[in-house]
Amino acid sequence: MNEHGVSERGFSAEEIDTSRPHPARMYDYYLGGWDNYEVDRQAAEHVIQVHPQVRLSARANRAFLRRAVRDCVRDGIRQIIDIGTGIPTSPNTHEVAHESAGDVRVAYVDNDPIVATHAGAKLTGAGHAAFVLGDVREPEAVLAHPVVRGLIDFTEPVALLLVAVLHFVKDEEDPAGIVATLGAALPSGSRLVLSHATAEPYEGYAGGYTDVKARDSVLGTYKNATAALNLRDRTAIEPLFGDFALQDPGLVRVPLWRPDGPVPSAEELNSTIFYGGVGQKP
């Protein structure tokens, strides 16, 4: 801390809000982590009670991130901007990338000071990685941040990760515009790795629509959190890719994106609430 009570990560201790649940800390709880508070655990347990499959979805979404990162690195990309990092859960983005290439550089961005407190030890200690306290809703500020500019070469392809973050951006905050601003700064050959929560039923499942009462109860829980949850259908998520051309197999439930194991049943896919896809900038 300096004389103003602000850490090197740019926030004061008073900025850590423990009075309301935070989506990143709830997500950490879904994944079995311990970096959360009682208020987060209570909210997460309520979600689990009405939608027990949420932990399945969180794990599937995390596995999608790992597969997508490996795919980007195998295709030669050596720099990543991971926005909406969340509480560090190993293997983290840089750990997955370094399995294939040790020179991959990763800029992590998140707006939760709690994430920042863990970033030094868990995200940036291995080198070729840095953390920025920033908000996806302020894309210009993220792109202009000196840490990002010092780590990322914007003349070379970049993998932009927006994994489980845009569903916390309201329509009036223009999620498509945010992606367009970020994408405009990236050169040809860059990738957009995006996943997004939905209440839409899986098209191959005959069991009917997602439980509406459960959905509304989950949405109510997140309304009391530091960021509300904005579920969108596939037809609203796909346009977020903008100029990024979707790669095979397109925008699909995350377990179906280039799976490296058995494909889940239609019922399980219906309970996995995330769509995911990877686009390439022409």
Side-chain angles (χ1 to χ4, degrees), residues 30 43-58 197-199 210-219 221-222 229 231 253 267-274:
Y30 299 148
E45 278 295 340
H46 175 75
V47 173
I48 292 168
Q49 182 178 4
V50 298
H51 181 62
Q53 302 90 346
V54 65
R55 282 183 154 152
L56 169 73
S57 293
T198 186
T210 303
D211 188 328
V212 175
K213 290 183 67 175
R215 179 200 64 192
D216 290 346
S217 184
V218 170
L219 291 175
T221 299
Y222 277 94
L229 183 62
L231 301 174
R253 296 296 170 119
E267 182 177 5
E268 187 174 327
L269 289 168
N270 191 61
S271 298
T272 304
I273 65 167
F274 289 104

Side-chain angles (χ1 to χ4, degrees), residues 69-278:
V69 167
R70 291 188 187 109
D71 193 77
C72 290
V73 174
R74 280 196 296 263
D75 280 357
I77 290 180
R78 292 295 180 266
Q79 33 187 20
I80 298 171
I81 302 176
D82 184 351
I83 302 180
T85 302
I87 301 292
T89 302
S90 189
N92 297 295
T93 298
H94 73 276
E95 293 171 328
V96 174
H98 290 170
E99 291 173 1
S100 302
D103 60 340
V104 177
R105 302 185 302 280
V106 181
Y108 290 102
V109 182
D110 201 281
N111 69 347
D112 183 10
I114 288 294
V115 175
T117 64
H118 296 281
K122 294 186 177 181
L123 297 180
T124 64
H128 297 300
F131 180 84
V132 172
L133 193 67
D135 198 309
V136 70
R137 299 172 187 83
E138 300 173 349
E140 295 94 343
V142 170
L143 292 168
H145 196 285
V147 171
V148 173
R149 286 285 164 182
L151 190 67
I152 303 298
D153 178 359
F154 285 90
T155 68
E156 296 292 332
V158 178
L160 171 64
L161 272 56
L162 296 173
V163 176
V165 62
L166 290 179
H167 47 242
F168 295 115
V169 177
K170 294 178 283 191
D171 288 343
E172 54 266 36
E173 293 171 322
D174 191 13
I178 290 170
V179 178
T181 298
L182 293 167
L186 307 182
S188 174
S190 293
R191 305 290 174 83
L192 170 60
V193 179
L194 186 154
S195 70
H196 194 295
T198 186
E200 192 173 41
Y202 174 61
E203 59 184 12
Y205 179 58
Y209 198 79
T210 303
D211 188 328
V212 175
K213 290 183 67 175
R215 179 200 64 192
D216 290 346
S217 184
V218 170
L219 291 175
T221 299
Y222 277 94
K223 280 183 180 178
N224 295 321
T226 57
L229 183 62
N230 303 275
L231 301 174
R232 295 182 174 99
D233 289 351
R234 189 179 186 279
T235 54
I237 299 168
E238 189 166 341
L240 298 177
F241 283 85
D243 293 336
F244 287 84
L246 275 164
Q247 298 181 302
D248 289 337
L251 183 65
V252 295
R253 296 296 170 119
V254 287
L256 298 179
W257 195 89
R258 302 188 181 182
D260 54 9
V263 174
S265 66
E267 182 177 5
E268 187 174 327
L269 289 168
N270 191 61
S271 298
T272 304
I273 65 167
F274 289 104
Y275 279 112
V278 177

